[in-house]
């Protein structure tokens, strides 16, 4: 039973436009959510996080939105740049992050020139 | 910038052989995690340490996998005997405290023939 779902295996976006990556979760005990970015042959790198007490967190070009009632979060990247091409993982944790992270399967974002 | 060190980067072994992976977390990070990532999937938590103690190993296949962090610093993950289905990327991560941001190493890519 997958507790964190990323239903789009891949997404293609034109450079300069907005990229929107989506994530759904089923475990109502999750209270801390993160996005990681991964290049081939490298480990994931932290991008941005959000606590369940917030509905939005912004860091430069990256914004994460959380809709707790829908158990849905999204990552917005504006504007999209070629270096953003990577696999993006949504992750969630309970007990304010003290539990290990549960990851989704990832979305491969391709930024086209 | 401090990094999580992992070795080896690549390991090829035959089934029924023993393999071991090593991880050195960022200095001062009390929490250490081992994740396994199968191609096309998200990372899956195998074991979580707080200092030298195991906090969560519920997903670790204990008949063949073992993990230790004897002095609460570096850690070793062992598989004995390896099976074909163990082929995956093994990722180590650390955080300053449980619930903090996770920093990942570059991983060990294991191929079992």
């Amino acid at each position: 039973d997958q507790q964190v779902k990323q239903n789009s295996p891949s997404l293609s976006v034109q450079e300069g436009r907005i990229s929107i990556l989506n994530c759904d979760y089923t475990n109502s005990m999750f209270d801390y959510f993160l996005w990681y970015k991964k290049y081939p042959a490298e480990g994931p790198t932290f991008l941005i996080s959000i606590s369940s007490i917030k509905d939005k967190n912004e860091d430069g070009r990256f914004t994460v939105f959380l809709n707790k009632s829908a158990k849905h979060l999204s990552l917005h990247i504006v504007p999209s740049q070629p270096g953003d091409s990577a696999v993006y993982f949504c992750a969630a944790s309970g007990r304010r992050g003290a539990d290990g992270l549960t990851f989704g399967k990832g979305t491969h974002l391709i930024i086209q020139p | 910038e401090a990094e999580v060190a992992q070795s080896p980067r690549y390991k090829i072994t035959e089934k029924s052989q023993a393999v071991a992976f090593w991880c050195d977390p960022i200095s001062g990070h009390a929490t250490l995690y081992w994740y396994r990532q199968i191609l096309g999937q998200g990372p899956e938590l195998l074991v979580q340490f707080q200092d030298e103690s195991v906090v969560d190993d519920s997903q670790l296949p204990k008949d063949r996998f073992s993990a230790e962090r004897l002095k609460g610093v570096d850690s070793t993950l062992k598989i004995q005997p390896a099976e074909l289905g163990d082929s995956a990327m093994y990722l180590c991560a650390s955080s300053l405290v449980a619930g903090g941001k996770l920093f990942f190493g570059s991983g060990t890519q294991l191929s079992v023939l």
Side-chain angles (χ1 to χ4, degrees):
Chain A
D1 179 34
Q2 220 181 339
Q3 299 185 70
V4 177
K5 300 177 184 179
Q6 293 178 257
N7 292 320
S8 298
S10 67
L11 175 67
S12 184
V13 175
Q14 213 164 14
E15 182 180 355
R17 306 294 287 268
I18 183 171
S19 295
I20 300 176
L21 293 92
N22 293 303
C23 177
D24 298 293
Y25 62 96
T26 58
N27 190 338
S28 57
M29 300 302 290
F30 288 150
D31 57 12
Y32 184 54
F33 305 90
L34 308 90
W35 285 93
Y36 279 81
K37 176 180 178 180
K38 186 179 185 302
Y39 293 119
E42 294 183 12
T45 55
F46 171 80
L47 206 51
I48 193 168
S49 64
I50 188 167
S51 164
S52 59
I53 62 173
K54 294 185 174 183
D55 55 18
K56 177 183 174 182
N57 188 26
E58 195 171 349
D59 183 3
R61 297 186 298 114
F62 303 93
T63 303
V64 56
F65 295 92
L66 176 63
N67 182 334
K68 282 188 296 182
S69 60
K71 293 191 176 67
H72 177 83
L73 62 155
S74 60
L75 173 69
H76 292 210
I77 306 173
V78 182
S80 300
Q81 299 175 353
D84 296 330
S85 294
V87 177
Y88 289 78
F89 290 102
C90 172
S93 178
R95 297 193 300 141
R96 300 192 182 280
D99 295 336
L101 297 179
T102 299
F103 284 83
K105 289 186 176 182
T107 296
H108 185 194
L109 177 64
I110 302 161
I111 305 301
Q112 295 186 334
Chain B
E1 185 176 278
E3 293 183 345
V4 175
Q6 286 190 251
S7 67
R9 284 297 303 272
Y10 303 94
K11 179 70 178 178
I12 300 173
T13 190
E14 294 184 345
K15 66 177 184 177
S16 76
Q17 296 297 304
V19 291
F21 314 128
W22 177 80
C23 172
D24 191 13
I26 293 173
S27 178
H29 279 197
T31 312
L32 185 148
Y33 309 81
W34 283 100
Y35 282 84
R36 174 173 62 185
Q37 186 185 6
I38 296 169
L39 193 64
Q41 305 287 319
E44 172 196 22
L45 179 66
L46 293 175
V47 62
Q48 177 181 346
F49 289 92
Q50 181 65 34
D51 299 309
E52 67 276 8
S53 301
V54 173
V55 172
D56 182 1
D57 64 356
S58 57
Q59 300 303 311
L60 189 70
K62 298 182 190 63
D63 56 335
R64 298 184 301 107
F65 286 64
S66 63
E68 60 184 18
R69 193 185 184 198
L70 292 176
K71 296 182 180 178
V73 181
D74 58 339
S75 176
T76 302
L77 178 69
K78 295 179 181 177
I79 308 174
Q80 183 174 17
E83 295 181 353
L84 296 177
D86 296 331
S87 294
M89 170 78 82
Y90 289 83
L91 293 160
C92 179
S94 70
S95 62
L96 192 58
V97 295
K101 185 171 71 176
L102 266 64
F103 294 83
F104 282 85
S106 296
T108 296
Q109 182 65 54
L110 173 67
S111 296
V112 182
L113 306 178

